[in-house]
């Protein structure tokens, strides 16, 4: 397989890819990667190498507290990353409530984010830039009900007091630039706006998960707005023009003058009636200079295409 990667340029290359390395139980991904027996591993390694990213955000990657799966993947890369950050997700964390109303409280649909175990389908960052822990923030425990204009569906009594906004997570990870300043990497992976009923729980949540970033930049949340320069990267799981879901929130981000949208076109092909959609995004802050951007092919058997943006290193 021959991949066409991003052109060589002096700058900072940031990439996002929903790698879909998800297993049915905890620790299974780490086991498979440590043994090197995952059939998707060769294609994933070749694709990550072709991206040549300085900072790579992975979606759809099982979390384990020791970071064993991420370390194992990194060890297979021809040029391993010095800084690894597995991001603990909300997926699979019990809420104690019967959110889907089927009479049971301990199923995947009753968790903070859909998941058969805590950590299923999380996110991770591989970086050649050091992480500044004291300047990084995790918004993933923010309650959905506390979002201004929150569009909550009908919920069981008491559920709104514990239900978080983030299906997977909302994170602000500070990375150290060569000049010593921080670049803030804002990441999230919204729920799919489908697979629910007339209550539209997933559709409403998907929209509000994306709205979180607009409200954060507006200073309308109990957090300081992100400091420039910053890059918003992740999977909104909504196409601005087609497919299921309400596109209003992602359209607002794409039109926001505080952000740039250097990429366009489909990033996944779900096949069947759904087909190709644009669901993954990298949106640099307006103060950054974009040198180039693109999408590379997914490896054989994968649905999501990695996306990348090349940025000029910001001047002090």
């Amino acid at each position: 397989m021959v991949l066409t990667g991003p052109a060589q340029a002096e700058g900072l290359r940031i990439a996002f890819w929903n790698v879909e390395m998800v297993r049915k139980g905890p620790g299974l991904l780490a086991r498979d990667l440590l043994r090197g027996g995952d059939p998707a591993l060769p294609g994933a390694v070749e694709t990550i190498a072709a991206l040549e990213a300085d900072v790579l955000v992975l979606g759809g990657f099982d979390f384990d507290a020791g970071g064993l799966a991420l370390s194992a993947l990194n060890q297979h890369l021809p040029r391993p990353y010095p800084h690894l950050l597995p991001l603990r997700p909300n997926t699979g964390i019990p809420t104690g409530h019967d959110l889907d109303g089927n009479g049971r409280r301990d199923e995947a649909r009753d968790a903070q984010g859909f998941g058969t175990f805590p950590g299923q389908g999380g996110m991770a960052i591989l970086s050649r830039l050091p992480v500044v822990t004291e300047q990084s923030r995790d918004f993933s425990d923010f309650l959905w009900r506390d979002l201004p204009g929150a569009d909550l569906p009908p919920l069981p009594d008491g559920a709104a007091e514990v239900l978080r906004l983030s299906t997977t997570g909302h994170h602000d990870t500070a990375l150290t630039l060569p000049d010593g300043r921080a670049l803030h990497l804002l990441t999230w992976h919204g729920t799919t706006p489908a697979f629910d009923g007339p209550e539209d729980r997933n559709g409403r949540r998907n929209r509000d998960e994306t709205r979180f970033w607009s409200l954060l930049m507006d200073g309308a949340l109990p957090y300081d707005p992100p400091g420039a320069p910053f890059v918003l990267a992740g999977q909104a799981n909504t196409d601005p023009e087609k497919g299921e879901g309400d596109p209003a929130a992602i359209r607002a981000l794409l039109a926001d003058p505080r952000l740039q949208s250097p990429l366009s076109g489909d990033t996944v092909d779900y096949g069947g009636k759904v087909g190709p959609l644009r669901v993954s995004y990298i949106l640099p802050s307006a103060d950054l200079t974009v040198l180039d951007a693109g999408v590379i092919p997914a490896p054989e058997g994968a649905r999501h295409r990695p996306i990348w943006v090349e940025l000029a290193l910001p001047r002090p």
Side-chain angles (χ1 to χ4, degrees), residues 15-92:
F16 174 81
W17 183 26
N18 182 353
V19 71
E20 292 192 299
M21 286 188 168
V22 179
R23 296 295 184 269
K24 294 182 179 181
L28 297 182
L29 178 62
R31 179 203 64 185
D32 293 345
L33 293 177
L34 286 168
R35 293 177 177 175
D38 186 336
L41 181 61
V45 167
E46 187 173 359
T47 300
I48 292 172
L51 276 169
E52 297 180 323
D54 297 296
V55 181
L56 171 61
V57 181
L58 293 179
F61 191 87
D62 285 351
F63 172 89
D64 63 84
L68 296 177
L70 188 59
S71 295
L73 174 64
N74 193 49
Q75 291 168 10
H76 287 286
L77 301 178
R79 188 181 170 214
Y81 286 85
H83 305 286
L84 305 178
L85 185 61
L87 299 173
R88 182 185 295 273
N90 285 336
T91 52

Side-chain angles (χ1 to χ4, degrees), residues 6-309:
Q8 294 291 336
E10 292 186 2
L12 180 69
R13 188 173 303 152
I14 296 178
F16 174 81
W17 183 26
N18 182 353
V19 71
E20 292 192 299
M21 286 188 168
V22 179
R23 296 295 184 269
K24 294 182 179 181
L28 297 182
L29 178 62
R31 179 203 64 185
D32 293 345
L33 293 177
L34 286 168
R35 293 177 177 175
D38 186 336
L41 181 61
V45 167
E46 187 173 359
T47 300
I48 292 172
L51 276 169
E52 297 180 323
D54 297 296
V55 181
L56 171 61
V57 181
L58 293 179
F61 191 87
D62 285 351
F63 172 89
D64 63 84
L68 296 177
L70 188 59
S71 295
L73 174 64
N74 193 49
Q75 291 168 10
H76 287 286
L77 301 178
R79 188 181 170 214
Y81 286 85
H83 305 286
L84 305 178
L85 185 61
L87 299 173
R88 182 185 295 273
N90 285 336
T91 52
I93 297 177
T95 63
H97 292 273
D98 177 18
L99 296 181
D100 61 359
N102 70 350
R104 294 183 290 273
R105 300 183 179 187
D106 57 355
E107 296 180 318
R109 287 173 55 85
D110 302 316
Q112 290 286 357
F114 183 92
T116 59
F117 64 90
Q120 187 178 40
M123 299 184 73
I125 297 173
L126 302 91
S127 178
R128 307 208 184 281
L129 302 178
V131 176
V132 190
T133 304
E134 60 272 18
Q135 295 183 35
S136 300
R137 300 180 290 178
D138 184 352
F139 308 116
S140 304
D141 61 356
F142 182 74
L143 295 181
W144 187 358
R145 69 171 188 181
D146 292 338
L147 189 79
D151 187 19
L152 271 72
L155 294 170
D157 290 344
E161 284 71 36
V162 299
L163 184 58
R164 301 172 180 181
L165 170 66
S166 306
T167 305
T168 306
H170 286 76
H171 295 267
D172 173 357
T173 302
L175 304 172
T176 303
L177 294 168
D179 65 6
R181 292 184 303 144
L183 171 72
H184 289 268
L185 182 62
L186 311 178
T187 55
W188 90 115
H189 189 153
T191 189
T192 302
F195 308 116
D196 53 18
E199 80 286 350
D200 193 28
R201 173 159 64 113
N202 292 342
R204 298 182 193 207
R205 192 176 191 180
N206 174 278
R207 181 175 57 248
D208 278 353
E209 286 182 280
T210 299
R211 285 182 57 239
F212 176 91
W213 297 118
S214 296
L215 292 167
L216 182 67
M217 290 188 292
D218 290 343
L221 298 177
Y223 311 108
D224 291 333
F230 63 88
V231 176
L232 180 58
Q235 186 163 319
N237 254 331
T238 308
D239 188 295
E241 303 296 338
K242 56 189 176 180
E244 294 193 48
D246 184 343
I250 192 61
R251 286 178 180 175
L253 276 186
L254 295 175
D256 195 310
R258 296 168 292 191
L259 299 171
Q260 304 175 70
S261 178
L263 289 162
S264 62
D266 300 322
T267 64
V268 66
D269 188 350
Y270 289 121
K273 295 181 179 180
V274 179
L277 295 171
R278 181 186 183 189
V279 298
S280 300
Y281 299 87
I282 300 177
L283 308 175
S285 57
D287 58 302
L288 290 167
T289 299
V290 175
L291 301 175
D292 204 354
V295 183
I296 71 170
E300 184 177 356
R303 301 183 298 177
H304 290 269
R305 302 176 66 190
I307 61 177
W308 59 272
V309 171

